[in-house]
Amino acid sequence: MAVDAGSIYSAVRIQLDKLKGDVKSVETLLDQIGQSSEKNAKGTQDAFESAFDATKLAGVAAFAAITLAMKQSIKVAGDYEQSIANVQSVVMGSADTFDMLNAKAKKAGETTRFTASDAADALYNLAQGGLTATESVDALDGVLMLAGATLSGLAESSSLMVATLNQYSLAANEASRVSNVYAASISSSMATMDKLTSGMRQVGPIASAMNLSLEETVATLNAMFDAGYQGEQAGTAFRSMLAFLASETDPTTRKLIEFGLTFDKINPAANRFSEIVDNISKAGLSAGQVMDAFGVRAGAQMLTLLRVGRDGLQEYEAAITDTNTATEMYAIQNETLQGSLYRLKSAAESAQIEFVEQFTPAMRVVLDVLTKITIIVAGLPGPLKIFFGVLLAGVPVVLGLTKAVSALSLALHSVSGPIGWVVAGVAAAAAGFDALSTAINNAQIKATEAEFGDLARSMNMTAKELKRIGYEGLRLVN
């Protein structure tokens, strides 16, 4: 059978066209795959770059946070060290004294709601009031307890404490007794720290001199506080009463004798004050006679005490004697959110102080070196002084060599020759030679020219010279 050549050609042509179409389809598919791969790769690259940028940002943020924390820690530790040094300067103590004060303040910071710095300030107030270093340490717990129980300032509590110890010639280890008396006074009457401070300032010295106990004195003040008298009024009136009654020739005493009393019944040196009040009450004096005897300075307050009577005054005294009120009030004040926050703050400061103290010797060496450098820089020519002043003020190393040289160029306009080269080398070392050297050592001279050509030209040198400078600079900083 004859074969039609034309038919064969047509069939072949059809197959070729089909093959060509298939090839084209395959090429299109491959292009699509390539585009998709490129897109995915670009997305992956962007994701990595974004993640890297985020990581860098997180790193910068973390570094900033760490730097801030370090700065704060150094400030806290520095302030604390100065506070302890202030105490030592007042007591003129030895190194052992400093260690004793330091240990006591730190312990207070770790175990109370008050920071170590607060405790150091309290120790200063106690020492300034005339207590020795050992006495100040012994009295500190009482001061902290009083301040914590009454939510008073440490300065106020320290002042009242040291005044009371001095007025009544009490040993420093009786500070806890004093804090309990005052805390109980506040909890059982209308007394406040301000009223007690003002009242005791007026009457404390004379009451102690006439052998009235601290508890008896405070109880009498409480009776007047509850009658509405303020601290200064109550203390001044009480002082006047004691002064009048202590002298047999005083006009007040003479009037009371005229009204039927005898000196031995009203003498504060021989009687408890509640008994004196009782004896005057039993004499049956009228209000006019009492006012006539005690005058406007103390007459109204004596009438108040006569209404309270001996039994009432003794009840006031019993309420503040041999109690543990300061400790109990302090515990209650601590069982709050604010109390927890105070304790956290105190513990955090103690940790900061301990941390910084580990590096204090090294930091002092560095600061001494920087001080010497600053003195040297102060003697440099004007342009160089400006540049180094900028560096010492904290030009960040991360700005890189280019930024540093840009800053330096202003200073070098009037400086040429060997001095300019030396300063350029030192400046580069200070501003980032390490990073530059690493880049240059990993590249050829051509790459250096492309990367740092502008920098090299601004410094009047070739890329090769710049590479050598980088190497020498690295040697300097290492």
Side-chain angles (χ1 to χ4, degrees), residues 403-417:
K403 298 289 185 183
V405 174
S406 296
L408 179 61
S409 64
L410 295 175
L412 292 181
H413 279 315
S414 61
V415 182
S416 59

Side-chain angles (χ1 to χ4, degrees), residues 384-466:
L384 300 183
K385 186 186 300 183
I386 293 173
F387 172 69
F388 279 103
V390 171
L391 285 183
L392 291 174
V395 175
V397 175
V398 294
L399 290 180
L401 181 64
T402 303
K403 298 289 185 183
V405 174
S406 296
L408 179 61
S409 64
L410 295 175
L412 292 181
H413 279 315
S414 61
V415 182
S416 59
I419 235 178
W421 287 98
V422 171
V423 174
V426 173
F433 245 134
D434 197 3
L436 173 63
S437 181
T438 301
I440 293 176
N441 286 335
N442 292 333
Q444 300 296 326
I445 297 298
K446 183 178 180 180
T448 304
E449 170 65 30
E451 184 72 17
F452 302 100
D454 292 341
L455 174 62
R457 282 187 288 278
S458 72
M459 296 177 67
N460 239 3
M461 61 176 71
T462 66
K464 184 175 181 179
E465 290 172 332
L466 183 60

Side-chain angles (χ1 to χ4, degrees), residues 31 54 60 92 98 117 149 152 220 253 269 361 365 401-402 407 438 443:
D31 285 343
V60 171
M92 299 299 291
F98 181 88
S117 295
S152 304
T220 305
T253 304
V365 172
L401 181 64
T402 303
T438 301

Side-chain angles (χ1 to χ4, degrees), residues 333-349:
Q333 297 290 3
N334 274 339
E335 291 303 318
T336 63
L337 176 59
Q338 187 179 52
S340 297
L341 291 174
Y342 276 128
R343 291 195 301 276
L344 175 60
K345 176 186 176 183
S346 181
E349 182 182 291

Side-chain angles (χ1 to χ4, degrees), residues 219-378:
T220 305
L221 289 175
N222 287 348
M224 286 186 274
F225 294 153
D226 282 353
Y229 293 103
Q230 297 302 307
E232 198 84 15
Q233 292 174 308
T236 301
F238 194 6
R239 179 186 64 189
S240 297
M241 294 175 198
L242 294 174
F244 296 159
L245 297 172
S247 173
E248 191 170 2
T249 60
D250 186 271
T252 296
T253 304
R254 293 170 62 182
K255 284 184 179 296
L256 292 175
I257 293 175
E258 289 176 6
F259 295 148
L261 290 160
T262 59
F263 181 65
D264 63 309
K265 295 290 186 180
I266 57 176
N267 182 7
N271 299 274
R272 289 177 56 82
F273 191 75
S274 59
E275 296 295 338
I276 293 175
V277 169
D278 188 52
N279 290 334
I280 294 175
S281 178
K282 289 178 178 178
L285 275 61
S286 67
Q289 289 174 319
V290 172
M291 290 299 297
D292 184 32
F294 288 93
V296 294
R297 295 171 60 187
Q301 289 85 346
M302 176 55 78
L303 289 173
T304 295
L305 297 178
L306 289 172
R307 284 195 297 270
V308 173
R310 180 189 62 184
D311 293 345
L313 289 175
Q314 290 178 351
E315 288 177 6
Y316 274 110
E317 185 176 349
I320 61 174
T321 301
D322 295 331
T323 74
N324 201 31
T325 306
T327 303
E328 295 167 356
M329 289 175 63
Y330 180 73
I332 293 172
Q333 297 290 3
N334 274 339
E335 291 303 318
T336 63
L337 176 59
Q338 187 179 52
S340 297
L341 291 174
Y342 276 128
R343 291 195 301 276
L344 175 60
K345 176 186 176 183
S346 181
E349 182 182 291
S350 295
Q352 287 176 313
I353 293 170
E354 288 292 341
F355 174 76
V356 173
E357 282 187 345
Q358 301 300 317
F359 302 97
T360 296
M363 284 193 293
R364 284 178 176 169
V365 172
V366 172
L367 291 174
D368 289 342
V369 171
L370 289 176
T371 301
K372 292 178 182 178
I373 291 175
T374 302
I375 294 173
I376 293 173
V377 168

Side-chain angles (χ1 to χ4, degrees), residues 7 78 148 393 424:
S7 298

Side-chain angles (χ1 to χ4, degrees), residues 90-91 124-133 135-136 162 166:
V90 172
V91 299
Y124 176 78
N125 291 330
L126 292 170
Q128 196 174 39
L131 272 62
T132 66
E135 289 172 338
S136 298
V162 73
N166 288 334

